[in-house]
């Protein structure tokens, strides 16, 4: 069946993940000095450990309420660990969290990904997102899109599943059931939609279970027929995209 909508994962799909910068520790100290005006009361590892305690507590509470794959809201976690951040006149909490994210990983947009997205948008294909992510993820994606002349506006507002907005995450079957329902409201059935992601467990298998076509962004495999890198996906899409 021809495809009328394509939904993308973000991390390790639209955005490649690379290691932290080698001077992450020094940058953390500089960020803390800029934000709070004094030496850090946590090093990077200590800050992460304090956040992990809160995340574990929130995950346990969500699972007790029946949410198998819970998600936290990162700004709330940071606010609990760093209550002084809300009072800092030097830097907004969002800017602090974005800078901190850049100390945990660096991101890049594959040039073929930019070409594919632009081409699909020009052809009128509905585009969406299905990502386990946090608010800073959108800032990372927006910054990389800007370098390629793209905007987040290419993604249809109702076809964006961002886990921090919902309190649960992939591979919860509700993720793709929700996207399937929203597609139907736009006149598109799940078999007319393609999910592009990197993980079998989080992306490919739960999307297939709800009737989506899938493409695993990974090395081609006999176990996953529709798989390959961005170059392979770019060659495959013209064969399956429905004329608009």
């Amino acid at each position: 069946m021809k495809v009328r909508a394509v939904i993308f994962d973000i991390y390790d799909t639209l955005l490649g993940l690379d290691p932290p910068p080698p001077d992450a520790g020094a940058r953390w100290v500089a960020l803390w000095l800029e934000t709070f005006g004094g030496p850090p009361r946590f090093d990077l590892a200590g800050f992460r450990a304090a956040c992990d305690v809160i995340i574990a507590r929130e995950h346990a509470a969500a699972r007790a309420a029946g949410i198998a794959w819970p998600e936290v809201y990162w700004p709330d976690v940071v606010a609990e660990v760093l209550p002084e951040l809300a009072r800092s006149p030097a830097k907004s909490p969002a800017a602090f969290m974005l800078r901190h994210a850049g100390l945990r990983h660096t991101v890049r947009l594959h040039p073929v990904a930019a070409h594919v997205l632009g081409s699909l948008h020009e052809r009128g294909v509905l585009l969406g997102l299905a990502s386990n992510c946090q608010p800073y993820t959108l800032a990372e994606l927006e910054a990389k899109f800007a370098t390629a002349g793209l905007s987040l506006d290419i993604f249809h507002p109702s076809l964006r599943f961002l886990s921090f907005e919902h309190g649960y995450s992939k591979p919860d079957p509700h993720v793709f059931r929700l996207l399937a329902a929203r597609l139907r409201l736009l006149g598109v059935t799940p078999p007319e939609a393609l999910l592009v992601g990197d993980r079998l467990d989080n992306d490919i298998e739960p999307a297939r279970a709800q009737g989506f076509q899938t493409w695993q962004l990974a090395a081609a495999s006999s176990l996953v027929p529709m798989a390959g890198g961005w170059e392979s996906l770019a060659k495959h899409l013209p064969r399956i995209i429905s004329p608009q």
Side-chain angles (χ1 to χ4, degrees):
M1 185 173 290
K2 292 291 187 178
V3 165
R4 299 170 58 202
V6 184
I7 297 174
F8 295 90
D9 177 35
I10 296 180
Y11 287 127
D12 281 327
T13 299
L14 291 178
L15 290 180
L17 286 176
D18 291 323
D23 60 345
R27 293 191 191 190
W28 171 251
V29 173
L31 174 59
W32 194 284
L33 288 170
E34 287 175 32
T35 307
F36 303 114
R41 60 186 182 89
F42 296 103
D43 62 13
L44 263 176
F47 174 67
R48 182 68 215 190
C51 291
D52 284 345
V53 170
I54 296 167
I55 291 169
R57 182 194 72 203
E58 294 303 307
H59 280 181
R63 291 189 178 104
I67 301 171
W69 288 278
E71 180 63 280
V72 298
Y73 183 56
W74 181 244
D76 283 353
V77 175
V78 173
E80 186 170 340
V81 175
L82 301 178
E84 62 266 45
L85 182 58
R87 303 188 296 270
S88 170
K91 194 168 292 294
S92 74
F96 179 91
M97 287 181 274
L98 178 60
R99 289 269 298 277
H100 169 256
L103 304 180
R104 295 172 57 194
H105 59 234
T106 52
V107 297
R108 54 190 158 74
L109 177 66
H110 196 291
V112 178
H115 171 74
V116 166
L117 288 165
S119 176
L120 290 172
H121 181 59
E122 287 176 5
R123 294 184 63 175
V125 177
L126 288 168
L127 300 179
L129 296 168
S131 177
N132 292 349
C133 64
Q134 292 295 335
Y136 61 76
T137 308
L138 296 181
E140 291 177 320
L141 187 60
E142 187 171 36
K144 294 304 177 184
F145 269 25
T147 66
L150 296 172
S151 164
L152 296 184
D153 291 341
I154 66 174
F155 299 110
H156 195 284
S158 70
L159 297 180
R160 302 184 190 190
F161 177 89
L162 308 171
S163 60
F164 72 87
E165 295 181 341
H166 296 271
Y168 63 93
S169 62
K170 299 180 297 183
D172 193 308
H174 288 86
V175 172
F176 292 102
R177 286 186 64 82
L178 175 66
L179 287 169
R182 291 179 174 178
L183 282 165
R184 290 188 182 97
L185 290 173
L186 297 171
V188 179
T189 64
E192 294 175 299
L194 177 72
L195 183 282
V196 179
D198 65 298
R199 289 179 54 171
L200 275 176
D201 57 346
N202 266 16
D203 303 313
I204 306 306
E205 292 172 347
R208 281 183 182 166
Q210 301 303 324
F212 287 74
Q213 297 187 48
T214 62
W215 181 277
Q216 186 181 15
L217 202 69
S221 166
S222 59
L223 299 177
V224 185
M226 294 294 99
W230 275 106
E231 293 82 359
S232 298
L233 176 60
K235 293 176 182 176
H236 177 68
L237 284 171
R239 298 194 290 266
I240 64 170
I241 294 298
S242 174
Q244 301 298 311

